[in-house]
C-alpha cells in the first residue's frame, strides 16, 4: 500500500512539475472537423458526446484521452481522466443559465469558462491556445450556440 501511494504521489509531482514548466504541450484549440473517427468514438464511449452531436470546437491541456473541453451543436462538456481521478461535466444548452469567461490565464495557465446551470451548480472548462484570439473565438462561438439554442438574441 505504501509503495503504491509513493508511486501515485511521484506521478502527481512529476505531472505538476511538467505542467508548471510547460513541458507538456497543450493540444490547443481545434475545430471539430479535425477530430478523427477514433476520437469521436472515444468521446461517445466516455459518455460525453451523443451520437447525433457534432463537435464544434475542442481544447485539451494534456493528451486527448486525459483531458478535453469542448462544445457541440447541443451541449458543452469537460472531462479530466487521469489514473483513478475522473471528473466529467456535460450540460445541454437548455440547462445553462449563464456562461462567463476569464480569458486572462491565471494560475492554471489556461483561460477559464464558467458554465452555470439552472440548478445553481456550475463547472469550469479550460481552454489553452497560443493565440488569445483563438480563445476568444472559442468563447464567442460557444455563447452564440447557447443563445441560439435558447432563442436569445445575440
Amino acid at each position: 500500500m505504501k509503495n503504491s501511494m509513493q508511486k501515485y504521489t511521484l506521478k502527481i509531482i512529476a505531472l505538476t512539475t511538467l505542467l508548471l514548466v510547460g513541458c507538456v504541450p497543450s493540444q490547443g484549440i481545434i475545430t471539430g472537423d479535425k477530430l478523427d473517427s477514433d476520437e469521436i468514438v472515444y468521446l461517445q464511449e466516455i459518455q460525453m458526446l451523443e451520437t447525433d452531436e457534432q463537435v464544434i470546437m475542442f481544447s485539451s491541456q494534456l493528451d486527448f484521452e486525459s483531458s478535453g473541453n469542448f462544445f457541440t451543436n447541443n451541449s458543452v462538456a469537460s472531462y479530466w481522466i487521469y489514473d483513478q481521478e475522473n471528473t466529467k461535466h456535460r450540460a445541454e444548452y437548455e440547462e445553462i443559465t449563464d456562461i462567463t469567461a476569464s480569458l486572462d490565464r491565471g494560475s492554471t495557465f489556461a483561460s477559464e469558462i464558467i458554465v452555470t446551470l439552472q440548478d445553481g451548480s456550475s463547472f469550469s472548462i479550460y481552454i489553452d491556445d497560443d493565440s488569445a484570439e483563438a480563445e476568444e473565438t472559442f468563447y464567442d462561438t460557444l455563447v452564440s450556440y447557447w443563445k441560439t439554442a435558447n432563442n436569445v438574441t445575440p
Side-chain angles (χ1 to χ4, degrees):
M1 170 93 173
K2 184 177 177 184
N3 194 18
S4 66
M5 184 61 150
Q6 288 174 334
K7 287 181 183 178
Y8 179 74
T9 302
L10 287 174
K11 285 181 183 179
I12 295 297
I13 291 170
L15 179 62
T16 302
T17 302
L18 289 172
L19 287 171
L20 290 175
V21 298
C23 293
V24 176
S26 162
Q27 302 300 311
I29 295 171
I30 60 171
T31 56
D33 61 342
K34 302 287 189 248
L35 298 176
D36 65 38
S37 60
D38 289 341
E39 292 168 327
I40 297 297
V41 167
Y42 177 76
L43 293 176
Q44 292 169 342
E45 286 174 352
I46 64 169
Q47 300 176 336
M48 298 305 290
L49 182 68
E50 298 292 326
T51 56
D52 62 339
E53 288 183 291
Q54 293 179 303
V55 176
I56 307 303
M57 297 184 89
F58 182 94
S59 178
S60 178
Q61 282 68 52
L62 293 172
D63 61 274
F64 188 89
E65 290 79 17
S66 299
S67 164
N69 301 277
F70 65 96
F71 64 94
T72 74
N73 52 316
N74 297 321
S75 66
V76 60
S78 175
Y79 63 92
W80 170 262
I81 301 171
Y82 185 75
D83 279 339
Q84 295 181 10
E85 180 184 342
N86 295 329
T87 303
K88 298 190 294 187
H89 299 282
R90 182 181 179 281
E92 293 188 8
Y93 293 131
E94 292 78 18
E95 300 174 273
I96 299 170
T97 59
D98 197 19
I99 300 175
T100 58
S102 175
L103 302 177
D104 64 0
R105 295 174 175 250
S107 62
T108 62
F109 299 100
S111 294
E112 179 181 23
I113 298 174
I114 300 169
V115 178
T116 304
L117 306 178
Q118 292 173 348
D119 67 4
S121 66
S122 64
F123 65 91
S124 295
I125 62 174
Y126 296 94
I127 56 174
D128 184 15
D129 196 278
D130 291 337
S131 163
E133 185 177 330
E135 293 179 358
E136 289 175 26
T137 299
F138 186 105
Y139 173 71
D140 291 342
T141 307
L142 167 59
V143 169
S144 177
Y145 271 85
W146 167 60
K147 286 183 176 183
T148 300
N150 289 299
N151 296 316
V152 176
T153 311

